[in-house]
């Protein structure tokens, strides 16, 4: 198992190793050495590199010099960069390209950052950008927990997700800490050019549901079957997709930026045996289901998910800390008698229509199961009669009509859960990880119904 090494110690222990596939390892180490030589220790660094090698070298150099590091999406627009500028932390070094931004300390802001803090962006689905405060130790705890859960020492990762997101970043950290290899390939390149020349049986792959769907449509099942595990997360997977992937070594996961990615994971053997939960909690954490007053609920009872973990972020910039080392994500679920976590939906997206509770995830799954929509998302819009009206935005599969969709979901969904508004669009506002931007989605729904 990976020991708790400082970034500087790890650098020396792995110096010069050929650990990258798809990138030049020698060029990586050369660039790390150059950046370390140019970077004052304990600096505040903003990293917005689009090139994977540049990103990895900058990340590793900054960690090695005990810098405070702000990770940024190089594809952010002016709106996001404006939010970054307002968090009150002024970078002394900027690597990569960012929108012309004036950084200034916000009056009254004094974030209690730990030494060598790693600030990882989150909040894209809500439209409000903030940074989860991690350290090298919280990331290392997440790696050790996953190693113990999988009962492996080295982890080789095939990464098709962006490194500036926690789902991609943690793949790099896992391989570095465990002595493994990192194969890097943009997902578009995987689709257009085919896979890198590696032995899938020695690697784990991480995907979001829409990526898995696209690969299966390209008849890639034989290639996917060869992996040790395929971590599937970032967004809920629908039943029809999971049924199609029955023979694959899928490992359904539950995690987020605040937990340094996975905090619960279903093992591939469990998926193949028919389990469809998010798996059991990893050894470095604890998941409890609580009621509105914070009281633990018995197995099988739906409530709010509460997380305690050694990998837990210390707080947010801007924003509060996480009280008593506990985190309450906006997720509802239950833990069954065998300890498996089942995520029901998000508390803030729950729709109350005519006094009934409706979870968008259930409606979306019913629509996707018909095979007549390519993608869909459900929101609740204000309604004078119902309180909220179930509204679906969907990408139709061919020339399907609204009447046909209503008929198709009838046996799958209770009548009160049926959408009252149907909006056909060409594409949903999803980010690179497949997550819906809820803010943009609701604005789009309001605009279409005007």
């Amino acid at each position: 198992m990976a020991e708790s090494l400082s970034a500087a110690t790890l650098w020396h222990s792995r110096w010069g190793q050929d650990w990258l596939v798809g990138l030049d390892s020698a060029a990586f180490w050369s660039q790390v050495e150059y950046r370390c030589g140019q970077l004052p220790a304990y600096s505040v660094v903003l990293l917005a590199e689009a090139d994977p090698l540049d990103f990895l070298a900058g990340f590793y150099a900054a960690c090695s010099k005990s810098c405070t590091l702000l990770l940024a999406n190089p594809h952010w627009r002016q709106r996001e960069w404006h939010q970054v500028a307002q968090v009150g932390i002024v970078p002394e070094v900027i690597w990569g390209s960012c929108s012309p931004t004036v950084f200034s300390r916000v009056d009254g802001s004094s974030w209690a950052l730990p030494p060598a803090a790693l600030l990882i962006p989150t909040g894209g689905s809500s439209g409000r950008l903030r940074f989860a405060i991690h350290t090298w130790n919280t990331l290392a705890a997440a790696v050790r927990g996953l190693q113990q859960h999988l009962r492996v020492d080295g982890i080789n990762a095939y990464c098709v997700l962006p490194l500036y997101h926690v789902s991609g970043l943690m793949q790099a950290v896992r391989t570095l800490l465990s002595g493994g290899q990192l194969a890097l390939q943009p997902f578009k390149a995987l689709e257009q050019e085919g896979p890198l020349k590696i032995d899938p049986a020695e690697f784990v792959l991480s995907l979001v549901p829409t990526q898995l769907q696209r690969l299966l449509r390209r008849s890639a099942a034989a290639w996917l079957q060869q992996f040790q595990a395929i971590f599937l997360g970032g967004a809920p997977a629908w039943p029809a997709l999971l049924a199609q992937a029955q023979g694959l070594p899928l490992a359904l996961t539950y995690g987020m930026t605040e937990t340094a990615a996975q905090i619960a994971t279903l093992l591939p053997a469990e998926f193949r045996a028919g389990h469809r939960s998010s798996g059991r909690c990893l050894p470095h954490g604890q998941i409890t289901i609580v009621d509105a007053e914070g009281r633990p609920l018995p197995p099988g009872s739906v409530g709010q998910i509460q997380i305690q973990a050694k990998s837990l972020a210390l707080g947010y910039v801007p924003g509060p800390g996480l009280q008593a080392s506990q985190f309450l994500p906006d997720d509802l679920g239950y833990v069954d008698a065998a300890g498996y976590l089942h995520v029901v939906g998000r508390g803030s997206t729950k729709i109350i229509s005519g006094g009934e509770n409706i979870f968008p995830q259930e409606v979306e799954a019913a629509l996707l199961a018909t095979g007549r929509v390519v993608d869909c998302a459900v929101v609740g819009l204000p309604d004078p009669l119902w309180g909220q009206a179930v509204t679906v935005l969907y990408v139709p599969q061919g020339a399907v009509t609204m009447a046909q969709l209503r008929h198709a979901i009838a046996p799958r969904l209770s009548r009160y859960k049926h959408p009252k508004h149907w909006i056909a669009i060409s594409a949903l506002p999803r980010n690179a990880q497949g997550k819906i931007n809820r803010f943009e989605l609701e604005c789009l729904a309001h605009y279409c119904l005007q």
Side-chain angles (χ1 to χ4, degrees):
M1 300 299 169
E3 298 179 1
S4 182
L5 300 175
S6 69
T9 302
L10 181 62
W11 178 23
H12 292 296
S13 69
R14 296 215 60 179
W15 175 259
Q17 292 183 7
D18 186 16
W19 72 293
L20 296 174
V21 180
L23 295 177
D24 187 338
S25 294
F28 164 79
W29 291 115
S30 176
Q31 192 172 145
V32 169
E33 186 174 35
Y34 172 77
R35 294 195 184 214
C36 282
Q38 300 295 314
L39 183 65
Y42 312 111
S43 301
V44 178
V45 179
L46 187 148
L47 182 60
E49 296 281 14
D51 180 83
L53 191 146
D54 292 338
F55 178 94
L56 285 174
F59 175 81
Y60 206 64
C63 291
S64 298
K65 299 299 286 282
S66 299
C67 295
T68 294
L69 182 59
L70 288 84
L71 302 185
N73 182 340
H75 307 295
W76 277 338
R77 301 298 183 187
Q78 185 175 357
R79 178 174 175 270
E80 287 84 6
W81 283 117
H82 177 73
Q83 293 182 59
V84 174
Q86 297 303 307
V87 301
I89 297 176
V90 180
E92 298 163 296
V93 177
I94 297 177
W95 283 333
S97 58
C98 65
S99 174
T101 302
V102 177
F103 291 92
S104 61
R105 298 192 185 279
V106 179
D107 291 340
S109 67
S110 179
W111 312 118
L113 296 178
L118 303 174
L119 306 181
I120 305 177
T122 185
S125 61
S126 66
R128 178 196 171 198
L129 180 66
R130 55 183 177 175
F131 294 85
I133 304 169
H134 277 284
T135 66
W136 189 256
N137 287 337
T138 61
L139 302 192
V143 174
R144 291 194 299 272
L146 183 60
Q147 287 176 287
Q148 293 170 20
H149 189 67
L150 299 178
R151 298 182 180 179
V152 299
D153 290 324
I155 297 177
N156 299 319
Y158 196 119
C159 180
V160 297
L161 299 172
L163 292 170
Y164 52 79
H165 187 272
V166 71
S167 58
L169 175 70
M170 287 306 298
Q171 294 183 63
V173 174
R174 289 168 197 151
T175 57
L176 276 168
L177 278 171
S178 71
Q181 284 192 307
L182 178 66
L184 278 163
Q185 184 181 34
F187 185 73
K188 285 186 179 179
L190 172 61
E191 286 188 300
Q192 297 171 4
E193 303 166 14
L196 299 173
K197 293 183 179 179
I198 55 103
D199 181 1
E202 298 180 354
F203 282 76
V204 296
L205 174 67
S206 295
L207 298 173
V208 298
T210 53
Q211 291 175 331
L212 176 61
Q213 181 186 51
R214 287 162 66 174
L215 289 176
L216 289 175
R217 286 177 175 173
R218 289 178 173 268
S219 302
W223 178 68
L224 293 171
Q225 285 175 349
Q226 300 176 57
F227 281 92
Q228 289 180 352
I230 301 172
F231 298 134
L232 191 68
W238 49 98
L241 177 64
L242 297 180
Q244 189 180 2
Q246 172 62 41
L248 301 183
L250 282 196
L252 306 183
T253 70
Y254 175 71
M256 57 216 68
T257 306
E258 291 83 353
T259 58
Q262 299 173 34
I263 190 63
T265 299
L266 187 72
L267 298 175
E270 295 170 331
F271 176 79
R272 283 173 163 158
H275 289 267
R276 292 298 181 267
S277 70
S278 296
R280 292 187 172 103
C281 185
L282 272 57
H284 68 285
Q286 179 180 336
I287 293 177
T288 307
I289 306 301
V290 299
D291 62 17
E293 284 73 42
R295 295 171 298 199
L297 293 172
S301 300
V302 175
Q304 186 170 17
I305 296 174
Q306 176 183 278
I307 299 171
Q308 294 174 288
K310 295 178 181 178
S311 64
L312 199 59
L314 308 180
Y316 298 102
V317 174
L322 302 180
Q323 296 181 356
S325 300
Q326 295 179 352
F327 176 53
L328 293 170
D330 184 31
D331 291 324
L332 302 176
Y334 66 93
V335 174
D336 64 26
Y340 291 89
L341 173 67
H342 301 257
V343 181
V344 174
R346 295 185 68 82
S348 64
T349 61
K350 180 177 70 174
I351 300 168
I352 303 178
S353 184
E356 299 282 1
N357 293 334
I358 303 167
F359 293 99
Q361 185 176 343
E362 182 183 5
V363 182
E364 293 160 2
L367 280 163
L368 289 166
T370 67
R372 299 195 174 196
V373 298
V374 177
D375 200 2
C376 67
V378 172
V379 295
L381 297 184
D383 185 273
L385 179 61
W386 299 98
Q388 285 182 296
V390 179
T391 303
V392 61
L393 296 91
Y394 65 98
V395 180
Q397 179 75 56
V400 64
T401 66
M402 184 175 67
Q404 290 172 324
L405 289 175
R406 283 180 171 172
H407 179 74
I409 66 171
R412 295 181 169 90
L413 208 60
S414 299
R415 181 67 183 174
Y416 70 87
K417 298 178 182 179
H418 287 206
K420 293 180 172 58
H421 301 300
W422 298 73
I423 304 172
I425 55 177
S426 59
L428 295 180
R430 291 186 181 273
N431 65 15
Q433 290 70 51
K435 289 186 178 180
I436 291 288
N437 186 315
R438 291 282 167 183
F439 177 77
E440 290 187 14
L441 188 72
E442 292 189 16
C443 289
L444 180 59
H446 281 289
Y447 176 80
C448 291
L449 293 175
Q450 285 181 349

